[in-house]
Amino acid sequence: MTRQRFDELVGDALDLIPADLASAIDNVVILVQDRNADEPDLLGLYEGVALTERDSWYGGSLPDTITIYRKALLDVCDSEDQVVDEVAITVIHEIAHHFGIDDDRLHELGWA
């Protein structure tokens, strides 16, 4: 799968987020990289301060980052349809961390 097509899938996944939630996403940049250097099998990573933890000290902070790891995702998929699904799951999973939802709750909700 080309990098451009993969980037389109990330954009499509972001479009799945309801407008009221999407408008609440604040100070976040979404990146696509091939792999995480420390954990090559990692599919996605949220780095930042969740909305639920922000206070007045947060003003002026650099953007949080959500990184989606292209090659790691492609490694776990056997078809383009599966890539579409896994990209959507990964993007929504990492956006959920921005909203303060932890991995245990995401597993309960089926967004593991």
Side-chain angles (χ1 to χ4, degrees), residues 46-64:
Y46 170 75
E47 296 176 286
V49 179
L51 290 175
T52 55
E53 297 176 14
R54 293 182 184 178
D55 202 343
S56 59
W57 58 266
Y58 183 79
S61 296
L62 291 173
D64 295 359

Side-chain angles (χ1 to χ4, degrees), residues 93 97 101-112:
H93 180 106
H97 288 318
I101 302 171
D102 66 17
D103 282 330
D104 290 338
R105 182 66 178 135
L106 284 167
H107 285 280
E108 291 172 11
L109 296 170
W111 290 99

Side-chain angles (χ1 to χ4, degrees), residues 6-101:
F6 190 89
D7 289 348
E8 289 170 2
L9 294 179
V10 171
D12 292 346
L14 290 168
D15 289 342
L16 295 173
I17 299 168
D20 55 337
L21 285 179
S23 67
I25 297 171
D26 183 46
N27 201 30
V28 178
V29 63
I30 311 288
L31 305 171
V32 175
Q33 294 182 357
D34 284 341
R35 292 192 189 279
N36 180 289
D38 296 327
E39 296 181 60
D41 294 333
L42 193 64
L43 305 181
L45 179 65
Y46 170 75
E47 296 176 286
V49 179
L51 290 175
T52 55
E53 297 176 14
R54 293 182 184 178
D55 202 343
S56 59
W57 58 266
Y58 183 79
S61 296
L62 291 173
D64 295 359
T65 59
I66 292 174
T67 307
I68 306 301
Y69 296 107
R70 186 177 69 90
K71 287 187 178 179
L73 275 159
L74 294 175
D75 285 350
V76 300
C77 297
D78 295 322
S79 68
E80 185 165 334
D81 287 341
Q82 194 175 15
V83 175
V84 170
D85 291 342
E86 288 300 321
V87 167
I89 289 167
T90 303
V91 168
I92 291 176
H93 180 106
E94 301 310 327
I95 293 281
H97 288 318
H98 174 68
F99 286 106
I101 302 171

